[in-house]
Amino acid sequence: MDYKKIIKNRSIRLKILQIFSFIPDKTMIKLQYRVKTGNKLNLKKPQRFTEKLQWYKLYYKNPLMIQCVDKYEVRKYVKSKGLEDILIPCYGVYDSADNINWKKLPDKFVMKDTLGGGGVSVILVKDKAKVDIEQLKAKAAQWTAINAHRKDAGREWPYYSGKNHRILFEKYIDSDINNAGLIDYKFFCFNGKVKFLYVMGFRECGDKVKVSVFDSDFKQLNVKRVGDELFKNVQKPENYSELKRTAECLAQRFPHVRVDLYDNDGKIQFGEMTFFNASGYMKYEPDQFDYIFGEKFVIPK
């Protein structure tokens, strides 16, 4: 069943899920997994990568994950690893939309919810003079109004652990969308080692994207993420070894984490760290890849 075709509006889908926030996490995750993947969730002996991500949500509670999912607080973690130079310049972080000094912001910037996800809590401003500041204020107010303890749709516990949603402003990185735009390298790391990565291009924030899957040696795999167009003719970046080392450095403390990096004209820049890729509800063609992916994830005892 394709629930997205039945309820096309994402905001409505999220509101419906919030109505059922009283349902215990384990029960809700089992239900969502069945609806979204069409498969029955096996938590006792998970084999698929998507199953192991559900186990990870429920049973692995490393407090450091709370810092690393916050798009501002993670900067401190990156600095602690000696990688301050890969951080995208920050113009400020605010607890309230009323405190933002819009006049001091540059003509171009990126506005983010520090605890947002899925690409829908990011706004790219290419020309401040052409945007409605009142609309940006309203969106910022909407983000900061989210209850710090409100369970998110996927029951990803670090995001509702009591930290408040804030508004983060970062430098806008220019790119040519006709030439794939700013390419995103998403490294899937297990016990500090890269095993697979997504390479994403032609991305429209919160909407369309082209994706291809590679192994750790940057060999493109005959795998497709269901629902996305393939990103073809991807060239291996000249600094791929450095990108890989950077991802592994940041991943050392976790059984699994996805580390997102950009290659901006040879300069590595940090995107984010994610522990529950697509909340563990993605599907692949062929389906067998979910098991191959899962073999790399040794869940802790």
Side-chain angles (χ1 to χ4, degrees):
M1 178 176 66
D2 191 341
Y3 68 99
K4 291 184 178 180
K5 289 183 178 179
I6 299 172
I7 307 172
K8 296 181 180 180
N9 188 292
R10 187 176 189 273
S11 296
I12 293 176
R13 295 199 302 267
L14 293 176
K15 287 178 181 178
I16 291 172
L17 287 170
Q18 288 302 323
I19 292 172
F20 296 103
S21 62
F22 65 91
I23 298 176
D25 289 348
K26 186 175 180 180
T27 302
M28 192 62 173
I29 284 173
K30 283 185 173 183
L31 176 61
Q32 287 195 64
Y33 189 82
R34 187 59 178 262
V35 170
K36 295 186 177 186
T37 70
N39 300 315
K40 184 178 179 181
L41 177 60
N42 183 345
L43 287 172
K44 291 185 178 180
K45 293 183 178 180
Q47 302 296 316
R48 294 174 176 267
F49 178 51
T50 52
E51 288 180 318
K52 291 184 177 182
L53 285 177
Q54 308 312 319
W55 185 98
Y56 206 36
K57 288 181 194 177
L58 290 167
Y59 302 120
Y60 186 75
K61 304 294 175 84
N62 182 344
L64 185 58
M65 295 165 79
I66 299 172
Q67 177 184 3
C68 289
V69 300
D70 185 298
K71 292 177 175 58
Y72 182 70
E73 296 298 328
V74 70
R75 297 172 68 90
K76 297 175 185 177
Y77 175 73
V78 174
K79 288 180 183 179
S80 75
K81 305 297 283 185
L83 295 169
E84 184 175 0
D85 61 316
I86 71 171
L87 291 171
I88 295 173
C90 172
Y91 299 132
V93 62
Y94 300 89
D95 295 317
S96 168
D98 295 330
N99 297 333
I100 300 169
N101 190 331
W102 298 95
K103 292 182 179 179
K104 285 191 174 182
L105 289 169
D107 293 334
K108 295 182 179 182
F109 58 84
V110 179
M111 177 174 131
K112 300 179 179 180
D113 175 355
T114 54
L115 288 171
V120 295
S121 300
V122 177
I123 297 175
L124 307 180
V125 175
K126 300 178 183 180
D127 187 345
K128 187 172 65 172
K130 294 181 180 180
V131 299
D132 186 335
I133 296 297
E134 291 305 315
Q135 286 187 359
L136 293 184
K137 287 181 181 179
K139 180 57 71 173
Q142 180 183 332
W143 291 344
T144 55
I146 297 173
N147 188 315
H149 297 279
R150 189 185 78 180
K151 293 184 177 182
D152 72 343
R155 302 300 176 94
E156 300 172 24
W157 67 271
Y159 293 93
Y160 55 88
S161 57
K163 291 184 67 67
N164 291 322
H165 289 248
R166 294 176 291 170
I167 311 110
L168 173 66
F169 292 92
E170 290 183 337
K171 180 180 178 180
Y172 179 91
I173 302 174
D174 285 300
S175 61
D176 181 6
I177 190 62
N178 296 316
N179 191 29
L182 185 62
I183 298 177
D184 194 353
Y185 300 91
K186 297 182 178 293
F187 292 90
F188 289 82
C189 304
F190 301 91
N191 291 316
K193 296 296 180 182
V194 172
K195 297 299 181 182
F196 299 101
L197 68 146
Y198 290 168
V199 181
M200 294 185 166
F202 300 96
R203 186 164 201 163
E204 297 177 29
C205 212
D207 193 6
K208 298 178 181 179
V209 67
K210 294 184 180 181
V211 186
S212 286
V213 184
F214 291 75
D215 68 10
S216 61
D217 295 321
F218 210 80
K219 177 184 176 182
Q220 188 165 350
L221 303 177
N222 188 24
V223 176
K224 184 178 186 295
R225 195 174 72 167
V226 174
D228 293 308
E229 188 177 343
L230 280 175
F231 185 9
K232 299 178 181 178
N233 303 316
V234 180
Q235 300 298 312
K236 183 178 181 179
E238 293 184 5
N239 61 348
Y240 176 70
S241 294
E242 186 181 357
L243 282 161
K244 182 178 174 181
R245 284 196 301 271
T246 300
E248 291 183 338
C249 177
L250 293 171
Q252 290 173 354
R253 301 282 297 275
F254 308 102
H256 165 61
V257 64
R258 195 195 79 206
V259 179
D260 298 357
L261 301 172
Y262 303 108
D263 173 24
N264 182 21
D265 293 328
K267 177 177 174 55
I268 296 174
Q269 295 191 291
F270 176 76
E272 64 178 5
M273 294 174 68
T274 302
F275 297 94
F276 315 105
N277 176 73
S279 205
Y281 298 133
M282 57 285 186
K283 295 193 287 185
Y284 299 101
E285 294 176 357
D287 180 63
Q288 183 62 26
F289 185 68
D290 199 5
Y291 291 96
I292 295 171
F293 218 148
E295 289 175 0
K296 308 300 181 184
F297 191 174
V298 180
I299 57 177
K301 295 182 179 179

